[in-house]
Amino acid sequence: MPDVCADEPGRGGAGAGDPFVPHLTTAAEARGDAVVVHVTGEIDAETAAEFRDAVTRVLGGRLVVVVLIGVSFLGSAGLAALLGIRDRAAVSGAVVRFVVGGNRAVIRPLGITGVAGELDLYDELGPALRDPAPGAA
């Protein structure tokens, strides 16, 4: 049986080698003065710290846009990670935005818990990159 949940070849991490362990992948790319972090997989108790660490490593007082369209599950630990990222961004002087598109796996838990009102959410990447920073004239 093929290993359907392994991360990229040669990398460890959640999901490597075990098709029953949730996995998560993140990939960061520079877009002008911003950093875009693309996230795929599940954000739960097994992967939330990895997710949070991947995003907070790139904060550095800039705009960071986290694309959650490829997330297939968002658990309570993932919700806490999102709020933790928001808080760390505020401390570092960064602006963090989350692109959810029409992804019900993300939108539903955000809405049910009320976390949606605590985050800067966007449907698409373009507007998340173009909108002025809060307080900008």
Side-chain angles (χ1 to χ4, degrees):
M1 180 168 169
D3 187 2
V4 295
C5 288
D7 289 330
E8 296 173 8
R11 290 186 55 204
D18 185 348
F20 299 106
V21 175
H23 89 166
L24 175 81
T25 59
T26 59
E29 66 172 310
R31 293 270 187 110
D33 292 335
V35 174
V36 177
V37 180
H38 297 274
V39 183
T40 58
E42 300 177 359
I43 308 174
D44 60 11
E46 296 290 324
T47 61
E50 176 185 351
F51 164 65
R52 184 194 62 239
D53 293 347
V55 176
T56 56
R57 269 195 300 274
V58 300
L59 288 175
R62 68 183 104 196
L63 171 62
V64 175
V65 179
V66 181
V67 180
L68 301 172
I69 294 171
V71 170
S72 56
F73 177 80
L74 180 64
S76 59
L79 293 167
L82 293 171
L83 293 171
I85 290 166
R86 177 208 57 193
D87 293 345
R88 288 185 186 190
V91 168
S92 75
V95 173
V96 66
R97 296 174 176 159
F98 300 92
V99 178
V100 297
N103 186 349
R104 285 186 46 82
V106 173
I107 295 169
R108 186 153 198 234
L110 289 173
I112 289 171
T113 60
V115 172
E118 302 292 320
L119 303 174
D120 199 2
L121 301 177
Y122 286 78
D123 287 329
E124 297 176 359
L125 179 58
L129 287 169
R130 285 191 302 267
D131 278 358

